[in-house]
Amino acid sequence: MSFFKLKGTLKPLTSIKQFAKLPHTLQYPEIPVEASDRYRGFHYNEIDVCIGCGNCSTICMNEAIDMVGVDGVEGEKGDSGLRPRIDYGRCCYCALCVDVCPTGSLALTKEFLHVDDDPNNFLWVAGVANPEAKDKLSYTSSVEESLNDFTRVPMQELEGMERVKSFAEVVLGYNKQQAQEEAARCISCGLCTEACPDHMHIPEYINAIASAKDADALRIIYDNNPLPEMCGKVCTRRCEDVCAIGTRGEPVAIRWLKRYATETAIDAQMTREIVNPEIKVPNGYKVSVIGAGPSGLTAAYYLALKGYSVTIYEANPKAGGMTMYGIPKYRFPIESIEKQIKYIQSIGVKINFNTKVGKDIAFKEIYDQSDAVFMGVGFPKAWTLGIDGEDAIGSMQAVNYLHMINSDEDVEIGNKVAIIGGGNVAIDAARVSARMGAEVTMLYRRRIKDMPADWEEIEGAEEEGIHFEPQAIPIKIHKDENGKVKAIEYLKAEMVADDKGGRPRPVAIEGSNTILEVTAVMAAIGQQGDYTFLEDEFMERIKVERGRFVVNEHQRTGDPKIYAGGDSANRTADAISAIADGFRACKAIDRMLMGV
């Protein structure tokens, strides 16, 4: 017998050495196996933490992740309403999706066994298909381990007690390198675009900045916002509130990046050269705009680009509305807004300054000579406090005070000022008063955390030495023998829970009267519209509810030729919402006149 035949005969006997060893092939599911720590098994997603940004889907090189709708998950601002579905026929378990998840909701688990003869059962909506996997997480991503950058590039500002000495701009802005670094943090999820009232192309212009294509960024921005430098300085930035990066870190500085891009054009001529807007040939139609605020300027700009002859009637000597006369110049320098107005005028928009409709020209005259009219008249009238002594010399409305200061008028306020209110107008009046050399106290009937003012503005006021007196309800202004403000009397308040589940309400504490000696009192408790410029025949057709024009989704009033936007038609009361109104109205007016 040969050697090889003998080896073949004895071969089965060699398997005896495997008898005591564990099998290499496991029975499923009878024999459970515990995977090692940080094992990369099936995905799990915390559905309520996920915001549906799609960053996981974007980074997947195998195209194994789709974003799909899920029962019980509704889209809202800051949440697309979609959730990741994993195709385990494609997934290679690289875990990049976990590494880039901005919320940290997505993880890999120790689960890795799944047997089924239906291929569709290997498409899992993570967290829905395997809710029990929440207790089996293995590969997760912390803020420190994430591939996202959660730390914002700091913005340089003038020091608090130094800046209060002048009206120099407080925020100094990003340089090119800082802007590129900050822009690189954006994951282009687009949640910001949905939250923006004007739906600006935010990821697109931020990506252009990150790629050092500043001119492209500017052109993208001007596609639907003709006042971007204003928004880059004073926007309420609701886009940043929903930024995916902000869920576990600091949101991308969208506002400051917009500011950077717009400031690369140093004047109106340079803006015109870079944006290079397409202006259509005149179409023979005339549109009149009442008010040169953000909504009116926006409607006028885009209508002019479409070939309409546009004239704005503005009661003040300068355009901009509240952004010109209500925002202090340490926040929004006059050179900045004038640059944008000159650019808008350069494309053919005519502005008749010092022309008050209803006084210098009748609304009916404008209406009769126009094919359409847009009203962006704002909320110019301030509410009064309605307390004793409000007629004292030195008692005024904060919005009027800001208007006079921005008009370079002299206003006597003395050395101790009380501001009543907690919104941005109140904060602006307080910080301006401090710059005029006064010691300032802000009286607000609720807690500081309840103040509607922007938190950055509140912090800025604190840094500049403004004193806050929360839970204070004014009841009387005391006068001296000459009828001037001498003091303000207020009651302290306690916060009482609301029975209906609303926010706590302030209730005055009897006998808590406190007197604060001051030389001026400014009320900043809200504003209202003034529609006396409209003749009766128009007021019969244009409906007003709770102080605002009633408009449809296209900004049209009850008169098919008349449209309205901004504060007089929009309760949001911020510039970007007014801009969105003007842009919507422009498209609606164009459709109407073109017969679409």
Side-chain angles (χ1 to χ4, degrees):
M1 182 180 293
S2 70
F3 170 77
F4 293 105
K5 182 176 291 187
L6 177 62
K7 183 178 180 181
T9 302
L10 299 176
K11 186 73 173 178
L13 300 177
T14 64
S15 63
I16 295 175
K17 67 181 181 180
Q18 305 292 335
F19 181 76
K21 293 184 178 181
L22 293 173
H24 293 295
T25 303
L26 304 178
Q27 288 181 313
Y28 174 81
E30 286 81 3
I31 302 176
V33 176
E34 181 69 21
S36 61
D37 292 339
R38 302 288 282 174
Y39 185 84
R40 301 179 184 183
F42 297 136
H43 296 73
Y44 175 78
N45 187 34
E46 190 74 48
I47 296 297
D48 293 337
V49 176
C50 178
I51 57 176
C53 68
N55 208 29
C56 53
S57 177
T58 300
I59 203 170
C60 183
M61 296 177 290
N62 296 330
E63 298 183 354
I65 303 179
D66 294 321
M67 301 302 294
V68 300
V70 173
D71 289 342
V73 176
E74 299 294 334
E76 57 184 2
K77 287 185 179 180
D79 186 342
S80 71
L82 306 178
R83 296 296 182 263
R85 182 182 67 183
I86 320 298
D87 182 349
Y88 286 111
R90 292 175 176 268
C91 179
C92 68
Y93 304 91
C94 67
L96 278 176
C97 53
V98 175
D99 292 331
V100 301
C101 177
T103 65
S105 67
L106 194 62
L108 295 181
T109 70
K110 293 185 177 183
E111 285 191 326
F112 59 93
L113 298 175
H114 180 67
V115 178
D116 201 291
D117 57 7
D118 185 353
N120 290 324
N121 288 337
F122 289 86
L123 295 173
W124 286 14
V125 177
V128 173
N130 58 340
E132 72 288 346
K134 182 176 182 179
D135 299 325
K136 302 176 183 179
L137 303 185
S138 57
Y139 189 92
T140 59
S141 177
S142 66
V143 170
E144 293 73 25
E145 297 167 330
S146 175
L147 295 182
N148 297 309
D149 185 350
F150 291 102
T151 304
R152 176 181 287 196
V153 175
M155 172 58 69
Q156 289 185 307
E157 295 183 355
L158 295 177
E159 192 275 327
M161 298 313 294
E162 182 63 30
R163 67 190 184 220
V164 79
K165 297 176 183 178
S166 73
F167 279 81
E169 191 169 7
V170 170
V171 176
L172 302 180
Y174 285 143
N175 59 32
K176 189 178 185 69
Q177 180 181 346
Q178 291 171 325
Q180 285 183 250
E181 290 177 2
E182 180 61 21
R185 299 203 304 128
C186 176
I187 65 172
S188 301
C189 65
L191 294 175
C192 49
T193 296
E194 290 303 311
C196 174
D198 197 36
H199 303 304
M200 292 189 68
H201 315 303
I202 298 171
E204 290 82 358
Y205 74 70
I206 289 181
N207 285 334
I209 294 171
S211 303
K213 297 178 181 178
D214 295 341
D216 287 347
L218 192 65
R219 283 188 283 270
I220 292 168
I221 288 170
Y222 267 94
D223 181 64
N224 61 348
N225 187 342
L227 298 164
E229 193 164 326
M230 176 192 68
C231 289
K233 294 176 185 284
V234 299
C235 184
T236 48
R237 69 194 188 294
R238 276 175 277 164
C239 51
E240 294 182 19
D241 291 340
V242 301
C243 176
I245 295 297
T247 56
R248 289 197 292 171
E250 297 173 286
V252 174
I254 299 172
R255 177 175 59 178
W256 299 144
L257 290 172
K258 190 188 298 98
R259 169 191 172 135
Y260 164 78
T262 57
E263 286 187 335
T264 58
I266 60 175
D267 56 29
Q269 181 178 349
M270 189 172 180
T271 302
R272 176 75 184 268
E273 292 171 357
I274 294 174
V275 177
N276 190 26
E278 178 188 356
I279 306 174
K280 294 184 178 180
V281 297
N283 56 30
Y285 290 104
K286 180 178 180 179
V287 179
S288 294
V289 175
I290 316 299
S295 64
L297 289 168
T298 301
Y301 175 78
Y302 291 108
L303 285 166
L305 291 183
K306 292 178 179 292
Y308 292 92
S309 174
V310 185
T311 300
I312 302 177
Y313 296 88
E314 170 55 46
N316 291 300
K318 293 181 180 179
M322 285 299 293
T323 60
M324 170 62 80
Y325 291 100
I327 298 178
K329 297 314 164 194
Y330 62 81
R331 291 179 61 200
F332 190 25
I334 193 167
E335 299 81 7
S336 179
I337 189 168
E338 286 185 338
K339 178 179 83 173
Q340 294 170 94
I341 301 303
K342 288 178 181 177
Y343 168 65
I344 291 173
Q345 289 176 300
S346 77
I347 61 104
V349 174
K350 298 181 286 292
I351 306 178
N352 293 341
F353 295 105
N354 297 307
T355 306
K356 186 174 179 60
V357 177
K359 177 182 177 184
D360 301 309
I361 184 172
F363 180 82
K364 180 170 174 49
E365 181 180 345
I366 294 173
Y367 181 87
D368 289 342
Q369 65 187 16
S370 306
D371 295 294
V373 178
F374 178 82
M375 302 185 299
V377 296
F379 259 24
K381 293 175 61 178
W383 290 106
T384 58
L385 294 171
I387 61 176
D388 289 343
E390 197 169 7
D391 59 344
I393 300 170
S395 172
M396 63 193 80
Q397 312 309 314
V399 68
N400 297 338
Y401 172 69
L402 293 171
H403 191 289
M404 290 185 286
I405 292 294
N406 285 0
S407 300
D408 296 323
E409 298 180 28
D410 292 327
V411 187
E412 179 58 45
I413 61 172
N415 61 358
K416 288 188 177 182
V417 176
I419 309 291
I420 316 301
N424 282 330
V425 172
I427 295 286
D428 286 343
R431 296 177 71 179
V432 167
S433 297
R435 281 164 171 75
M436 302 304 289
E439 179 184 320
V440 184
T441 299
M442 292 193 66
L443 305 178
Y444 181 57
R445 62 187 186 132
R446 286 188 165 88
R447 300 161 297 187
I448 291 178
K449 68 179 183 180
D450 299 319
M451 294 177 75
D454 191 303
W455 62 265
E456 283 186 349
E457 296 304 309
I458 296 172
E459 288 184 353
E462 290 177 331
E463 291 168 0
E464 293 171 7
I466 307 299
H467 174 68
F468 289 83
E469 190 65 44
Q471 294 172 235
I473 302 176
I475 58 173
K476 182 179 181 180
I477 296 175
H478 294 267
K479 310 175 189 177
D480 65 14
E481 60 277 8
N482 297 315
K484 294 182 178 180
V485 170
K486 177 182 178 182
I488 184 163
E489 183 176 352
Y490 63 91
L491 293 173
K492 294 182 179 180
E494 60 178 343
M495 304 304 294
V496 177
D498 185 89
D499 295 336
K500 298 180 179 179
R503 63 176 180 168
R505 55 189 176 86
V507 176
I509 300 173
E510 188 175 349
S512 63
N513 302 59
T514 303
I515 295 178
L516 175 68
E517 292 188 1
V518 292
T519 54
V521 174
M522 298 181 196
I525 59 171
Q527 292 150 238
Q528 58 184 315
D530 180 3
Y531 311 131
T532 56
F533 67 91
L534 288 168
E535 292 92 345
D536 291 342
E537 63 176 290
F538 295 105
M539 290 302 294
E540 291 174 1
R541 297 198 293 269
I542 301 174
K543 191 176 181 181
V544 175
E545 282 186 359
R546 300 180 66 182
R548 286 180 168 86
F549 294 124
V550 176
V551 297
N552 66 9
E553 67 273 21
H554 306 297
Q555 305 302 133
R556 193 173 73 180
T557 69
D559 186 310
K561 246 176 83 169
I562 302 176
Y563 296 73
D567 289 354
S568 61
N570 187 326
R571 295 190 180 280
T572 308
D574 60 11
I576 189 63
S577 296
I579 288 170
D581 288 349
F583 192 63
R584 257 191 310 273
C586 164
K587 292 187 286 186
I589 290 171
D590 183 50
R591 289 194 297 267
M592 177 189 71
L593 295 180
M594 291 295 107
V596 178

